[in-house]
Amino acid sequence: MPGSDELVALYDQAGSVTGTATRARVRAEGLWHAAGVVLVRSGDGKAVYVHLRTPGKDVFPSTWDCWAGGVVAAGETPAECARRELAEELGIHGVDPVPLFTKVYDDGRNRCHNFAFEVRWDGPIHHQAEEIVEGRWIPLDELRAWVEDPAPELPFIPDGREGVQEWFRRYG
C-alpha cells in the first residue's frame, strides 16, 4: 500500500495527540487518529465540489466524497493538514480553510477525529490522479438529498456523509 510507512499522529478517544505510528499500523489496528477535511464551496456558497475516490484508496475506495482531506501527519496540526490536502488533492492554493467543527467517526475499524474546515473557491480544480477519479460541482440541495438517501445510487463515503450531515444541521 503506498504511504503505508508514513508516520501519522495518534490521538486518543478524547481528541488529544498521544504519539505517532505508521499509517499501516493505524489501519491494521484501528488506532485513533485525525484528519483535516475541507468542504469546498463555490464563491456564492450555493454549490459544493464532490469527487470520486480512486479504487486504490486504503479506506473507503471508489466512493464519492465532498471533503478534500487526509490523515494528519506526525508533527502536523489539523489546519496544516487541511491546507496541504486541499493543495494536493484539488490543486487549490492561496486560501485559508475556516475551521468549522470536529466530527468523531468510529465504525469499530476506522477511528478518526475529522477536523472540518471550509473554503470558498471559484478557481480551477486540478485532481491528484492517485486519489481522485473525477469530480464536479453540485447544488447544496442535491448534496443534501444524496446524503439523506439511505440507499443512494452512487456510493458516498460514510465518514464524509456523517460530516456533511453535521454541516447541514449546523449551517444549512
Side-chain angles (χ1 to χ4, degrees):
M1 163 181 18
S4 62
D5 60 350
E6 164 192 12
L7 277 182
V8 301
L10 289 180
Y11 282 66
D12 62 19
Q13 191 171 356
S16 298
V17 177
T18 62
T20 63
T22 63
R23 180 186 203 94
R25 184 170 164 233
V26 167
R27 297 296 187 219
E29 298 176 29
L31 301 176
W32 280 100
H33 60 288
V37 299
V38 185
L39 188 70
V40 179
R41 293 176 66 197
S42 58
D44 64 9
K46 295 179 181 179
V48 171
Y49 196 79
V50 297
H51 61 274
L52 178 61
R53 295 163 59 88
T54 60
K57 294 291 287 178
D58 63 346
V59 66
F60 305 124
S62 299
T63 54
W64 285 87
D65 198 355
C66 62
W67 301 93
V71 175
V72 176
E76 185 177 52
T77 68
E80 290 167 340
C81 174
R83 279 190 298 279
R84 175 179 54 77
E85 290 287 346
L86 190 59
E88 288 175 5
E89 289 185 3
L90 300 179
I92 297 176
H93 301 271
V95 292
D96 285 321
V98 176
L100 298 174
F101 54 84
T102 302
K103 179 74 171 116
V104 174
Y105 182 79
D106 181 2
D107 66 7
R109 198 177 100 234
N110 299 295
R111 294 179 171 96
C112 189
H113 299 276
N114 286 315
F115 289 85
F117 297 83
E118 180 179 316
V119 297
R120 298 286 180 103
W121 183 257
D122 286 323
I125 304 273
H126 302 285
H127 297 152
Q128 181 181 27
E130 299 82 15
E131 301 215 21
I132 297 175
V133 174
E134 64 178 281
R136 66 178 178 265
W137 292 99
I138 66 169
L140 283 172
D141 59 340
E142 287 182 28
L143 178 61
R144 183 191 298 265
W146 189 359
V147 300
E148 295 299 332
D149 185 341
E153 182 179 329
L154 300 174
F156 205 90
I157 190 168
D159 63 335
R161 175 187 304 273
E162 287 186 13
V164 80
Q165 287 172 335
E166 180 65 22
W167 183 88
F168 279 120
R169 277 192 286 280
R170 291 175 182 239
Y171 308 105

